[in-house]
Short mmCIF file of all heavy atoms in Angstrom, two decimals:
data_model
loop_
_atom_site.label_atom_id
_atom_site.label_comp_id
_atom_site.label_asym_id
_atom_site.label_seq_id
_atom_site.Cartn_x
_atom_site.Cartn_y
_atom_site.Cartn_z
N ILE A 13 1.28 14.24 -17.82
CA ILE A 13 0.88 14.25 -16.41
C ILE A 13 0.26 15.61 -16.09
O ILE A 13 0.90 16.65 -16.29
CB ILE A 13 2.09 14.01 -15.49
CG1 ILE A 13 2.78 12.70 -15.85
CG2 ILE A 13 1.65 14.02 -14.03
CD1 ILE A 13 1.94 11.48 -15.67
N ARG A 87 -14.54 28.05 5.97
CA ARG A 87 -13.63 27.02 6.48
C ARG A 87 -14.03 25.67 5.88
O ARG A 87 -15.20 25.29 5.89
CB ARG A 87 -13.69 26.95 8.01
CG ARG A 87 -12.69 25.95 8.60
CD ARG A 87 -12.53 26.13 10.10
NE ARG A 87 -11.51 25.21 10.63
CZ ARG A 87 -11.00 25.28 11.87
NH1 ARG A 87 -11.41 26.24 12.69
NH2 ARG A 87 -10.08 24.41 12.27
N GLY A 130 -4.94 -2.62 -13.91
CA GLY A 130 -5.36 -1.26 -14.25
C GLY A 130 -4.59 -0.71 -15.43
O GLY A 130 -3.38 -0.91 -15.54
N ASN A 151 10.98 0.10 5.25
CA ASN A 151 9.60 0.04 5.70
C ASN A 151 8.72 0.85 4.75
O ASN A 151 9.14 1.86 4.20
CB ASN A 151 9.47 0.58 7.12
CG ASN A 151 10.20 -0.27 8.13
OD1 ASN A 151 10.46 -1.45 7.88
ND2 ASN A 151 10.55 0.32 9.26
N PHE A 198 4.19 -9.42 19.82
CA PHE A 198 5.48 -9.71 20.42
C PHE A 198 5.55 -11.05 21.15
O PHE A 198 6.62 -11.45 21.58
CB PHE A 198 5.85 -8.58 21.40
CG PHE A 198 5.68 -7.21 20.82
CD1 PHE A 198 4.92 -6.25 21.46
CD2 PHE A 198 6.27 -6.88 19.61
CE1 PHE A 198 4.76 -4.99 20.92
CE2 PHE A 198 6.11 -5.62 19.06
CZ PHE A 198 5.35 -4.67 19.71
N LEU A 232 -3.97 0.79 16.13
CA LEU A 232 -3.08 0.33 17.20
C LEU A 232 -3.23 1.24 18.42
O LEU A 232 -3.11 2.46 18.31
CB LEU A 232 -1.63 0.35 16.73
CG LEU A 232 -0.60 -0.32 17.64
CD1 LEU A 232 -0.83 -1.83 17.68
CD2 LEU A 232 0.81 -0.01 17.18
N LEU A 240 6.06 -0.72 19.71
CA LEU A 240 6.30 -1.01 18.30
C LEU A 240 7.46 -0.15 17.79
O LEU A 240 8.32 -0.63 17.04
CB LEU A 240 5.04 -0.74 17.48
CG LEU A 240 5.18 -0.91 15.96
CD1 LEU A 240 5.65 -2.31 15.59
CD2 LEU A 240 3.85 -0.59 15.26
N PRO A 340 -18.20 4.15 -3.02
CA PRO A 340 -17.55 4.49 -1.74
C PRO A 340 -16.79 3.32 -1.14
O PRO A 340 -15.84 3.52 -0.38
CB PRO A 340 -18.72 4.92 -0.85
CG PRO A 340 -19.93 4.28 -1.46
CD PRO A 340 -19.67 4.28 -2.94
N GLN A 436 -17.73 -0.96 7.07
CA GLN A 436 -17.01 -0.37 5.95
C GLN A 436 -17.04 -1.29 4.73
O GLN A 436 -17.19 -0.84 3.60
CB GLN A 436 -15.55 -0.09 6.35
CG GLN A 436 -15.41 1.02 7.37
CD GLN A 436 -13.97 1.19 7.84
OE1 GLN A 436 -13.12 0.36 7.56
NE2 GLN A 436 -13.71 2.25 8.56
#
Side-chain angles (χ1 to χ4, degrees):
I13 304 297
R87 184 167 183 169
N151 295 338
F198 311 127
L232 190 68
L240 176 58
Q436 291 175 349

